[in-house]
Amino acid sequence: MASYFHNWNNPYMVRRILSNVTELIKPADFQLLKALAYKYDEFKMFDKSVELYKKIIRLQPEDSQAYRNLALSYRNNNELTKARDIYLKIINDQYDQVFTFSEIRKTINTEFKNLATLNESSSIVNDIPDFYKKKLEYHRRIVFEWSDYDAEFDLQIVNPQKRYFTWSHTFNSEPARMNKEKKYGYGLEEFFITSKDVGEWIFNITYFGKKLGDNSFPTYLKITVFDNYGKEIQSEKIKTIHLKLFNKKQIVLKLKT
């Protein structure tokens, strides 16, 4: 419903609907809070997603990805100092309730470098180690996140030559990773497309449900596409998709380069 009114350019109704959803979600259902935060991110209501990620951290302080997501929302809400402070606490191991950030450390390093190098004239870089002041540039960066860590799916990537690669996120194919995601609290994967990869790219999802979770609760997929990542003209687009079709392939993203 919020998406419907967003398409009609009615931000008042969007905020009102999503605010009502916030009140309906029980504190224990932090996966739903995360899905709602994804919708706020999609609609660029980063002040609201900041509130939700902070709430998720209070409910699940061991959830490593929540801190990373909060830093991104702070950044997108132009609260750069707060974003920097979170990254510094992460790299200095100052979040005692998080067992480890190691599983998403590469992603965090990439995003911290992006924050630092695109704001190198700002005072926020004064306390940032030199390692994070090294510029990283990509033609296109794509980040997939899912609201339920035990959600099982196949992600098929079809390149412009119609060749495809399938990454399986299931307990049968990736039991060690799935167990780590549940234990450490993260669920994301990133991909990069170079300027030489000319043509249409298609990303398909086949959703199998949640082996351990409640399938009556919706799983949401958040897709963030960055163009000209690390450059002054960097742009970002976020979309969320409700994974409600079981065992059926659906196109979730098309890109032309």
Side-chain angles (χ1 to χ4, degrees), residues 111-218:
E111 292 169 348
F112 195 12
K113 286 181 179 180
N114 187 257
L115 173 70
T117 56
L118 289 184
N119 295 279
E120 57 187 358
S121 62
S122 169
S123 61
I124 70 162
V125 302
N126 294 342
D127 299 325
I128 296 178
D130 289 341
F131 173 77
Y132 295 98
K133 298 178 183 179
K134 299 176 183 178
K135 188 178 288 291
L136 279 178
E137 294 184 353
Y138 300 106
H139 177 64
R140 182 167 278 160
R141 176 174 178 250
I142 307 157
V143 183
F144 286 80
E145 303 173 52
W146 41 97
S147 59
D148 292 79
Y149 301 140
D150 58 350
E152 296 189 285
F153 56 84
D154 280 349
L155 174 63
Q156 182 190 66
I157 305 171
V158 185
N159 72 9
Q161 291 74 43
K162 303 303 180 184
R163 299 189 183 95
Y164 66 87
F165 161 78
T166 300
W167 177 60
S168 291
H169 183 264
T170 66
F171 280 98
N172 286 334
S173 62
E174 293 280 355
R177 170 167 178 155
M178 296 287 288
N179 287 323
K180 283 182 179 179
E181 289 183 2
K182 290 282 289 182
K183 182 177 180 180
Y184 304 138
Y186 72 96
L188 62 80
E189 188 67 28
E190 56 185 325
F191 303 91
F192 303 91
I193 296 177
T194 72
S195 58
K196 296 179 181 179
D197 300 318
V198 179
E200 183 178 63
W201 289 76
I202 301 173
F203 295 78
N204 300 312
I205 284 279
T206 303
Y207 179 56
F208 305 119
K210 289 170 278 189
K211 185 174 183 178
L212 304 177
D214 185 349
N215 282 298
S216 66
F217 283 1

